Amino acid sequence: MTHGCDKLRGKLTAYLDGDLDPDAGTVVRGHLRTCDACREVAAAEAKLRDELRALPVLDPPPSMWEGVQARLAAAEVVESKRPGWRRTLDQVVRWTRGSGVFAPRMLVGGVAVATVALVVMWRMNRPDADAGAPTTPDVIAVPSPVLAPSQETKLGGQTVESAPFGTDVTADLAGEGQRIVASYVGTAEELMTMIGEVREQWSAGDQATYDREVAALQVKVNAATDDRTKQRELRALIRYVQRALVRDDVALAGGAP
Amino acid sequence: MEVLYHQYKRRVFGMAHRIVGTTDAEEVAQEAFVRVFRGLANFRGDSQLSTWIYRLTVNAALSYLAKRGRRQEVGDESIAEMPAPPTAERDLALAARIEDAMGRLPAGYRAILVLHDIEGLSHEECAAILECRIGTCKSQLHKARAKMRELLGASLK
């Protein structure tokens, strides 16, 4: 094996995946034409890749969903017995980890500790300190909807008047802010599609409440004039839809096994 | 939630199956879904929902393997010295030999092969799921395929 073979094999995966620029691809092809050993390696790798892609899709056993429900119920029973301050601590740590705002880990740790201390002090001193962690409300608050004119969005099989919050932000993903906005939009749309499949089981009142609330949140998204505000409003929309999904699950779930 | 389950059950189960093996796949997939459902209310939405679900699945599978301490969880050097898989015989289909060879890879290699080559995700998506750089993903994939070629030997000719 020559030095040229060494160099080529380092690029083989990228070449077969189409990740090389045209010039580098030409160099690889030129070498493969003249080197039997590397051609054999390339053929084996291409065959491996094709075989991997052709592996069958695996169907989970029918019992899996029941197992998920049983585990979920058991986990929630355990969680409900944990002290409120532990749940608060976990939430703060989770938020701090997930935020991605603070790059240096030490800074994250310091801020987390300070935040936890403040939260714990606040919880100990407020009048309803024993109320525990906030839970999903049973009744969704219904603000007065302010709908954008002449726009329609499909929500769970119903047409709800609102502005299409995704259409004006997905076209240009050049900036990081816009990329995040687009990601939020995709998430919101996917979650709302899921809601659409379960909302038929809700009462008419809950459906109307959900539609009004989502429409109002969408109006706020559309009214946002900069990426940061739009992201904030999209997060509010996503949180609302997530809670509706969780509430739906809680309503339908059975007890602990 | 059931809607979400049915939408992702095949991919989640498939990933779990190919990372931890047949016996424990259902348990790991169940654990992944429990993490998804319990974390959904806190999902920030700054990555795609699918990316987040696959990340939880891969993490559930890798942490399961770490706890179980599988014999297969060995370094690159040991892999090269392993004997040929006992099931790599001519009368078995190549797909079965590939599945068997995957079971002999280090878990990290298995994860990138499952995500990129089997599930067909892009390097960008794999990097987001595995929480590493795109260059690291490409490098891991290159090494994983090389190990697979080595393990499969003449089967790929």
Side-chain angles (χ1 to χ4, degrees):
Chain A
M1 193 164 72
T2 66
H3 178 63
C5 295
D6 270 345
K7 281 180 68 177
L8 174 119
R9 291 184 191 183
K11 295 177 180 173
L12 204 50
T13 297
Y15 171 72
L16 291 171
D17 288 344
D19 288 341
L20 288 186
D21 61 57
D23 286 347
T26 303
V27 172
V28 171
R29 274 195 301 278
H31 182 89
L32 290 177
R33 285 180 191 283
T34 59
C35 178
D36 288 345
C38 286
R39 203 162 53 241
E40 196 172 300
V41 170
E45 178 138 340
K47 185 172 184 182
L48 171 65
R49 198 189 53 166
D50 292 345
E51 293 291 336
L52 284 167
R53 290 204 175 148
L55 285 176
V57 175
L58 300 171
D59 271 321
S63 62
M64 197 165 93
W65 174 234
E66 288 169 14
V68 170
Q69 287 178 304
R71 279 169 174 257
L72 195 58
E76 285 177 346
V77 167
V78 170
E79 175 70 14
S80 68
K81 291 177 180 168
R82 295 178 71 209
W85 68 268
R86 285 289 301 271
R87 291 199 296 271
T88 306
L89 178 65
D90 286 349
Q91 283 175 357
V92 171
V93 170
R94 204 163 38 231
W95 179 85
T96 310
R97 276 186 191 156
S99 67
V101 175
F102 311 108
R105 291 184 178 221
M106 291 300 286
L107 181 59
V108 171
V111 171
V113 169
T115 309
V116 168
L118 283 171
V119 168
V120 169
M121 286 172 63
W122 173 71
R123 288 181 64 84
M124 288 174 68
N125 290 316
R126 69 189 176 125
D128 57 342
D130 294 331
T135 55
T136 306
D138 291 335
V139 180
I140 300 168
V142 187
S144 300
V146 184
L147 302 180
S150 68
Q151 300 285 355
E152 289 184 347
T153 299
K154 280 278 188 186
L155 285 173
Q158 285 194 348
T159 301
V160 175
E161 204 174 9
S162 69
F165 57 83
T167 52
D168 61 340
V169 295
T170 50
D172 180 7
L173 301 180
E176 177 67 4
Q178 287 181 324
R179 185 196 68 75
I180 293 174
V181 166
S183 180
Y184 281 143
V185 168
T187 299
E189 287 176 343
E190 187 169 0
L191 290 170
M192 286 158 67
T193 303
M194 287 177 193
I195 287 280
E197 295 180 38
V198 297
R199 72 196 296 283
E200 302 302 325
Q201 300 164 39
W202 297 354
S203 70
D206 279 353
Q207 289 186 29
T209 302
Y210 170 83
D211 291 344
R212 279 196 299 272
E213 182 75 0
V214 167
L217 289 165
Q218 284 182 307
V219 168
K220 288 183 183 175
V221 170
N222 288 319
T225 53
D226 59 275
D227 285 345
R228 284 179 69 90
T229 311
K230 200 176 276 286
Q231 287 170 21
R232 191 181 65 234
E233 300 301 343
L234 279 164
R235 279 199 298 273
L237 174 62
I238 288 168
R239 271 199 304 276
Y240 179 80
V241 180
Q242 285 170 337
R243 284 175 188 155
L245 266 175
V246 171
R247 190 189 62 154
D248 177 76
D249 188 55
V250 170
L252 297 176
Chain B
M1 291 293 187
E2 195 167 352
V3 180
L4 186 146
Y5 170 80
H6 287 299
Q7 190 167 334
Y8 286 99
K9 65 181 179 184
R10 285 190 182 81
R11 275 194 142 173
V12 167
F13 180 74
M15 285 181 188
H17 185 281
R18 287 180 169 124
I19 295 176
V20 303
T22 310
T23 312
D24 304 314
E26 185 179 354
E27 185 177 346
V28 169
Q30 285 178 359
E31 173 62 22
F33 273 115
V34 168
R35 291 184 188 191
V36 167
F37 294 151
R38 296 194 69 205
L40 188 58
N42 295 309
F43 171 51
R44 296 169 61 83
D46 49 2
S47 65
Q48 284 189 8
L49 183 64
S50 56
T51 302
W52 178 69
I53 291 174
Y54 301 152
R55 185 186 303 152
L56 292 183
T57 305
V58 170
N59 286 344
L62 295 181
S63 60
Y64 184 86
L65 285 178
K67 281 181 193 165
R68 196 175 62 182
R70 281 179 62 154
R71 188 178 60 82
Q72 287 92 331
E73 301 307 299
V74 293
D76 292 2
E77 299 77 15
S78 307
I79 284 285
E81 294 163 7
M82 279 183 172
T87 51
E89 294 171 9
R90 286 181 184 172
D91 59 336
L92 292 178
L94 178 57
R97 272 173 275 170
I98 286 176
E99 298 264 18
D100 186 80
M102 281 185 66
R104 293 178 164 275
L105 289 178
Y109 286 0
R110 225 177 300 154
I112 186 66
L113 267 185
V114 168
L115 294 172
H116 187 275
D117 281 358
I118 298 178
E119 298 296 337
L121 303 180
S122 68
H123 285 299
E124 288 77 10
E125 289 170 306
C126 293
I129 291 166
L130 297 172
E131 297 181 282
C132 64
R133 290 179 300 164
I134 292 173
T136 307
C137 263
K138 290 180 177 177
S139 157
Q140 289 289 98
L141 181 64
H142 174 72
K143 290 177 184 172
R145 285 182 183 169
K147 281 295 170 202
M148 285 292 284
R149 285 203 317 269
E150 190 179 312
L151 288 167
L152 288 164
S155 302
L156 290 172
K157 290 179 182 171

